[in-house]
Amino acid sequence: MHIHNYINGHLTPAQSGNYLDNYDPSTGNVYSHIPDSDAADVQAAVEAAEKAFPAWSTCGLQERYRILHRIADLIQEQVEELAQAESRDSGKAISTSRTVDIPRAQANFRFFATAILHFSSESHHIEGQAINFTLRQPIGVVGCISPWNLPLYLFTWKIAPALAAGNCVVAKPSELTPMTAFLLSKICMEAGLPAGVLNIVHGLGPKAGQAIVEHPKIKAISFTGGTATGRILARTAAPMFKKLSLELGGKNPNLIFADCNFEEAVSTTVRSSFANNGQICLCGSRVYIERPLYEKFRNELVRRVRQLKVGDPFNDDTNMGALVSKQHKEKVMGYLSLAKEEGGAILCGGESVELPGGLSGGYYLSPAVVEGLPNTCRTNQEEIFGPVVTLQPFDTEEEAIAMANGVEYGLASTIWTQDISRASRVAERIQAGIVWVNCWLLRDLRTPFGGVKNSGVGREGGTEALRFFTEAKNVCIKYS
Ligand code: NAD
């Protein structure tokens, strides 16, 4: 099966005619081929987007609302087909694709279709002299580049606000998980999105992705991916003064105080550690537990993690499917070896899981809980982005905050306590863009989303995204 680019309203191969293999992580077999696009394909996409921009940016909010809403409807109608495709491409459990990934892709379109109708700009009055009003105008052609962990979910999280704000888009999904982006091209055609408004170019990051970032006509880039890649993007885009939104890696802390609601804290920590195989940027990977609770919490966590079912992504009762690629599984296992070298004890999991029959070549790994490591070791400092968490005890609030903040990342955190004063105090001092108190991944699409430190620059979500995808122009009118 061949995936195609979506350029100027048509499904086309890469101009070079070259393809890349696309693997099914559940079996380890190649099951489709992706266009190996390069600068020539990006050029064609930019030309199509430029041509479409005047009409799309002036067609009116109601028209953009109507088409984006239609796309949301079609995603909803095709939820099962899209969920199957997402699990085939990424190895994730079908229950996750069905209940998280695809519903959220639908919600992204619906949310921003509506949000643009409510978006307003500012006005500043100079008493007796003049009135200023701010126009928020679409930028033009913008680039959206997304990772493999939540493929359609994150792809649409960028595309939907960009389109709603009146921009035309050149987008690239991860080369590891291109399938649902391809299916989205078909949905956009069916929904009547005008040709060139959205262009999807498939291929490798350093080739097709880099060509998007380097293109002088692409004035803004919204990127989600690794911190190292973000650095390359920033280096490339800065001399061209492009607007940049960088949503990067994380090493998120969970702070469990002894007065927490034990049941909720432990069950949510299982989820926040191992949902989507730990391959969510918001997953907590460092669990800090107040010493009086440490042993009880650790024992219960390990007991429940042992019950998680690693298996065929297409079984309804599978909790954890395959990791996304052979290389990624090797990377995660490398970190488990490192954890042992650094003196850690693996309390459960961390073993390659061999499944029978056609699944024997798949990339399965049992979820691992590690203890006994210092906060400063590499296992506790570097992003693993897999089914591995470490546990550490703490004695004081001060110590917990220092350990939580003692990494170069700052994306998300959870705090578990019944003491609202402490929760507020600690939330204020945690270096992160998102803090959840007594919950995790409770998302409201209106809230600012993003990280601090090496977890990124800028915010997405709600008004923040619409502001990112528009240029502000102040108009000052003097009274006569
Ligand atoms: P990655 O950085 O390898 O790739 C992300 C995307 O960038 C892919 O589409 C890739 O093809 C492209 N790319 C690679 N090199 C490029 C270049 N030179 N120029 C332009 N594009 C390039 O990341 P990944 O492995 O796909 O995703 C995992 C990472 O994403 C993790 O670090 C995770 O924390 C992060 N992530 C962050 C968030 C967030 O919201 N902060 C969300 C999800 C994932």
Side-chain angles (χ1 to χ4, degrees):
M1 178 183 177
H2 287 84
I3 286 173
H4 293 303
N5 288 337
Y6 172 49
I7 296 176
N8 202 20
H10 301 292
L11 300 177
T12 54
Q15 291 186 25
S16 65
N18 296 335
Y19 286 92
L20 303 161
D21 290 337
N22 187 25
Y23 288 83
D24 173 348
S26 74
T27 63
N29 297 330
V30 173
Y31 86 104
S32 64
H33 302 277
I34 321 164
D36 181 9
S37 308
D38 57 26
D41 303 290
V42 170
Q43 178 61 28
V46 172
E47 284 170 16
E50 278 196 295
K51 207 166 97 213
F53 179 68
W56 180 249
S57 56
T58 56
C59 69
L61 297 181
Q62 289 294 341
E63 178 61 1
R64 295 210 291 272
Y65 161 84
R66 189 187 66 75
I67 295 178
L68 298 182
H69 230 266
R70 179 77 190 123
I71 294 173
D73 287 342
L74 291 170
I75 293 175
Q76 201 160 330
E77 281 169 25
Q78 296 172 32
V79 68
E80 185 56 26
E81 185 190 342
L82 288 163
Q84 295 279 340
E86 203 68 292
S87 286
R88 173 75 61 217
D89 232 15
S90 65
K92 70 176 69 195
I94 188 73
S95 56
T96 308
S97 297
R98 271 191 199 127
T99 59
V100 180
D101 291 75
I102 308 305
R104 177 56 190 280
Q106 175 274 133
N108 288 339
F109 272 104
R110 207 164 310 278
F111 176 84
F112 284 107
T114 314
I116 197 65
L117 300 179
H118 301 267
F119 188 45
S120 60
S121 61
E122 314 83 44
S123 150
H124 302 88
H125 185 208
I126 311 175
E127 239 170 78
Q129 289 186 55
I131 182 88
N132 292 276
F133 64 88
T134 308
L135 286 176
R136 293 220 160 249
Q137 297 175 303
I139 296 170
V141 181
V142 300
C144 298
I145 301 175
S146 59
W148 50 259
N149 65 317
L150 297 165
L152 193 63
Y153 174 135
L154 287 174
F155 197 56
T156 54
W157 178 235
K158 299 177 176 305
I159 289 170
L163 295 178
N167 301 285
C168 291
V169 175
V170 177
K172 194 193 91 60
S174 169
E175 58 273 34
L176 296 177
T177 51
M179 188 57 82
T180 47
F182 174 52
L183 298 176
L184 179 69
S185 347
K186 297 185 182 179
I187 286 176
C188 291
M189 292 164 84
E190 196 181 336
L193 187 71
V197 169
L198 171 63
N199 303 276
I200 300 175
V201 179
H202 292 272
L204 298 171
K207 202 157 136 185
Q210 184 76 17
I212 292 174
V213 182
E214 283 175 357
H215 202 292
K217 294 279 177 62
I218 297 181
K219 298 295 184 194
I221 307 275
S222 171
F223 169 82
T224 299
T227 297
T229 316
R231 234 177 235 123
I232 298 173
L233 257 81
R235 219 170 19 237
T236 311
M240 288 182 271
F241 308 113
K242 294 190 184 209
K243 247 182 145 176
L244 270 189
S245 170
L246 301 176
E247 303 292 338
L248 309 177
K251 188 76 181 173
N252 307 316
N254 295 349
L255 274 56
I256 321 276
F257 288 92
D259 69 344
C260 68
N261 177 322
F262 182 79
E263 173 52 36
E264 281 193 24
V266 80
S267 61
T268 308
T269 302
V270 172
R271 216 162 48 81
S272 69
S273 305
F274 299 111
N276 201 33
N277 259 321
Q279 303 169 138
I280 299 181
C281 55
L282 304 167
C283 277
S285 51
R286 296 175 291 142
V287 184
Y288 300 104
I289 307 152
E290 201 170 2
R291 203 174 299 275
L293 190 68
Y294 185 84
E295 215 173 294
K296 180 178 170 195
F297 191 93
R298 174 196 62 192
N299 294 346
E300 186 57 15
L301 184 77
V302 168
R303 189 184 73 76
R304 294 190 194 201
V305 172
R306 285 208 173 103
Q307 289 170 359
L308 291 174
K309 193 165 169 237
V310 179
D312 183 349
F314 295 96
N315 282 349
D316 287 344
D317 63 347
T318 291
N319 300 113
M320 301 173 65
L323 297 195
V324 73
S325 68
K326 185 164 180 274
Q327 291 75 5
H328 189 56
K329 179 176 168 186
E330 282 165 3
K331 175 191 150 184
V332 176
M333 293 191 78
Y335 271 106
L336 286 160
S337 305
L338 178 69
K340 283 186 233 164
E341 278 166 35
E342 290 181 323
I346 301 194
L347 302 176
C348 66
E351 284 141 15
S352 188
V353 176
E354 310 300 330
L355 295 181
L359 303 177
S360 62
Y363 318 130
Y364 302 94
L365 185 63
S366 55
V369 179
V370 185
E371 73 170 355
L373 287 168
N375 208 41
T376 48
C377 72
R378 283 183 54 206
T379 309
N380 271 328
Q381 291 288 317
E382 297 175 15
E383 185 184 44
I384 301 174
F385 211 55
V388 181
V389 287
T390 65
L391 310 184
Q392 292 172 80
F394 68 85
D395 291 301
T396 65
E397 190 178 303
E398 205 56 41
E399 189 193 358
I401 294 170
M403 290 204 289
N405 289 342
V407 296
E408 64 180 25
Y409 295 102
L411 186 56
S413 169
T414 65
I415 300 170
W416 292 90
T417 176
Q418 300 288 342
D419 179 344
I420 185 68
S421 302
R422 170 158 55 201
S424 316
R425 211 165 47 225
V426 175
E428 210 175 301
R429 293 182 59 197
I430 290 284
Q431 295 165 353
I434 302 150
V435 178
W436 277 293
V437 176
N438 297 331
C439 60
W440 176 71
L441 209 61
L442 189 53
R443 289 280 293 119
D444 179 330
L445 302 191
R446 295 170 299 179
T447 57
F449 181 95
V452 299
K453 295 157 78 176
N454 285 4
S455 290
V457 181
R459 291 292 179 273
E460 300 188 340
T463 314
E464 302 275 352
L466 294 177
R467 282 173 176 252
F468 175 76
F469 283 117
T470 50
E471 285 287 12
K473 180 192 286 171
N474 190 69
V475 181
C476 177
I477 305 177
K478 188 175 179 298
Y479 300 153
S480 58

